[in-house]
C-alpha cells in the first residue's frame, strides 16, 4: 500500500461519510482524483480539515498536489476553484506538457519550515 492509499484510508476513517480517491502519478504528483462530502456536512469545515490533512502530508513527502475542480458530484466548479486557491492551488499553466500533471490545478509543496510544526504523531506514519 502506498502512502497515498494509506492517507486516503485514514481520511475515510477520520471523516466518516467523506469519499475520495487519491493516487500518485509518475511525475510524481499526489492527485486528488475526486472527493465527495456528505451534503449535510458541507459548510461545516470538514472540507477544510481534509484539505489541510492532504496538503500537510504531501508537504512532508515534498510532492505537489494536483486536482481538477468539477461539478460532477454536486459542487460548483467556480466555488471549488476559489476554495482550493485558499490552500495554495493555482491554475496549471503547464497542463499537458511532459512532466506536468493533466489536472487543472496544482499546488507546490511547502518547504521544511512550513511543515516543521506538522512533524508530530499525526503524520509520523507516512
Amino acid at each position: 500500500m502506498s502512502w497515498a492509499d494509506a492517507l486516503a484510508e485514514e481520511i475515510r476513517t477520520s471523516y466518516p461519510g467523506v469519499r475520495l480517491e487519491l493516487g500518485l502519478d509518475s511525475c510524481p504528483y499526489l492527485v486528488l482524483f475526486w472527493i465527495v462530502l456528505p451534503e449535510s456536512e458541507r459548510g461545516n469545515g470538514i472540507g477544510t480539515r481534509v484539505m489541510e490533512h492532504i496538503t500537510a502530508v504531501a508537504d512532508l513527502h515534498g510532492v505537489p498536489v494536483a486536482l481538477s475542480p468539477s461539478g460532477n458530484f454536486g459542487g460548483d466548479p467556480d466555488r471549488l476553484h476559489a476554495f482550493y486557491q485558499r490552500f495554495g492551488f493555482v491554475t496549471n499553466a503547464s497542463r499537458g506538457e511532459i512532466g506536468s500533471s493533466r489536472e487543472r490545478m496544482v499546488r507546490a509543496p511547502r518547504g521544511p519550515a512550513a511543515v516543521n510544526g506538522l512533524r508530530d504523531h499525526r503524520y509520523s506514519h507516512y
Side-chain angles (χ1 to χ4, degrees), residues 2 20 26 42 54 56-57 62-63 65 69 76 91 104 122-123:
S2 75
L20 77 161
S26 61
R42 294 176 189 175
I54 290 170
V57 173
V63 300
V65 183
D76 176 283
T91 299
R104 289 195 300 268
R122 292 177 294 166
Y123 305 107

Side-chain angles (χ1 to χ4, degrees), residues 22-90:
L22 286 170
L24 294 170
D25 70 12
S26 61
C27 293
Y29 284 83
L30 175 64
V31 180
L32 176 58
F33 293 105
W34 55 267
I35 184 168
V36 179
L37 305 178
E39 286 190 42
S40 62
E41 298 294 325
R42 294 176 189 175
N44 292 330
I46 290 176
T48 296
R49 290 191 299 277
V50 168
M51 289 308 300
E52 287 171 345
H53 194 144
I54 290 170
T55 56
V57 173
D59 290 346
L60 288 173
H61 284 273
V63 300
V65 183
L67 53 79
S68 291
S70 162
N72 291 347
F73 299 102
D76 176 283
D78 292 332
R79 188 171 177 215
L80 290 169
H81 191 277
F83 173 77
Y84 293 126
Q85 283 181 318
R86 293 184 5 218
F87 300 95
F89 286 87
V90 297

Side-chain angles (χ1 to χ4, degrees), residues 114-125:
V115 297
N116 232 5
L118 300 173
R119 294 188 187 279
D120 61 25
H121 70 283
R122 292 177 294 166
Y123 305 107
S124 63
H125 56 283

